[in-house]
Amino acid sequence: MVQCQPSSLRAEKLVLLSSTIRDDKNTNKGIFVACFILFLWAISLILLLSIDTSIINQGLLIIAMLWQTFLYTGLFITAHDAMHGVVYPKNPKINNFIGKLTLILYGLLPYKDLLKKHWLHHGHPGTDLDPDYYNGHPQNFFLWYLHFMKSYWRWTQIFGLVMIFHGLKSLVHIPENNLIIFWMIPSILSSVQLFYFGTFLPHKKLEGGYTNPHCARSIPLPLFWSFVTCYHFGYHKEHHEYPQLPWWKLPEAHKISL
């Protein structure tokens, strides 16, 4: 088991971060960001599912697929923020509705189940009670990923997605290639992206152990790449320190805590 020890921030840094948290709760930015990601994902998917892939350059198809992967990751990050109540703090019902909707669109995932498991992750990081943690030896990426997916996926969800695939293909007459390239593959790649940058790298065992109670570290990438890789969730220690912060505030929290 990972040995984690307490950490602290200086008083003035705590004041700055408390101000950041308070300011966000008094705005509607969270709901606007969530709706923008939802809108962008939906419009992009509709357009990509309708194009003729046979006349599109292969390189452009790959770029479009990766773009849709990025938007799928945004759906899950939005749901994740909803689990922390920061999509729309003024109205928990709307906040949770956004969380449920984004998880359904992401992959028919149950919001209540993920909410429970995610708070177990925050309450018992790096322990056997943490559903996201893999205490195998060694902590192999692929074995951990399989453990991670097994914890969250059910056969009923897979059956539902298969039915949707065939329904879109047979009833709506969306080409199978489009469904595979822009619907299936991006969702799978997104799960790998979320796992690698949001779980594996931040929570993987360190030789000297962790120096904070969250058993987490941050991956300080440049701002652009931090956003592209996983919506700033490479700043994972800050997320565990301040779970009230939305994803776009994590770089600011990291900067303040240095």
Side-chain angles (χ1 to χ4, degrees), residues 21-29 89-90:
I21 294 168
R22 184 173 60 252
D23 289 345
D24 265 344
K25 285 187 175 181
N26 294 327
T27 69
N28 296 318
K29 185 174 180 179
K90 296 179 181 179

Side-chain angles (χ1 to χ4, degrees), residues 24 66 68 73 89 103 155 157 160 189 191 218 220 225 230 232:
D24 265 344
L66 293 176
Q68 198 61 27
T73 299
L103 284 183
W155 286 110
Q157 294 161 239
L189 290 179
S191 72
S218 289
W225 290 112
C230 202
H232 302 310

Side-chain angles (χ1 to χ4, degrees), residues 51 53-54 56-66 181-182:
I51 66 173
T53 58
S54 65
I56 305 296
N57 178 275
Q58 191 174 22
L60 291 176
L61 288 178
I62 292 174
I63 291 172
M65 182 179 68
L66 293 176
I181 296 171
F182 302 124

Side-chain angles (χ1 to χ4, degrees), residues 86-99:
V86 297
V87 166
Y88 196 50
K90 296 179 181 179
N91 192 318
K93 288 185 178 180
I94 294 176
N95 177 86
N96 291 333
F97 172 77
I98 295 294

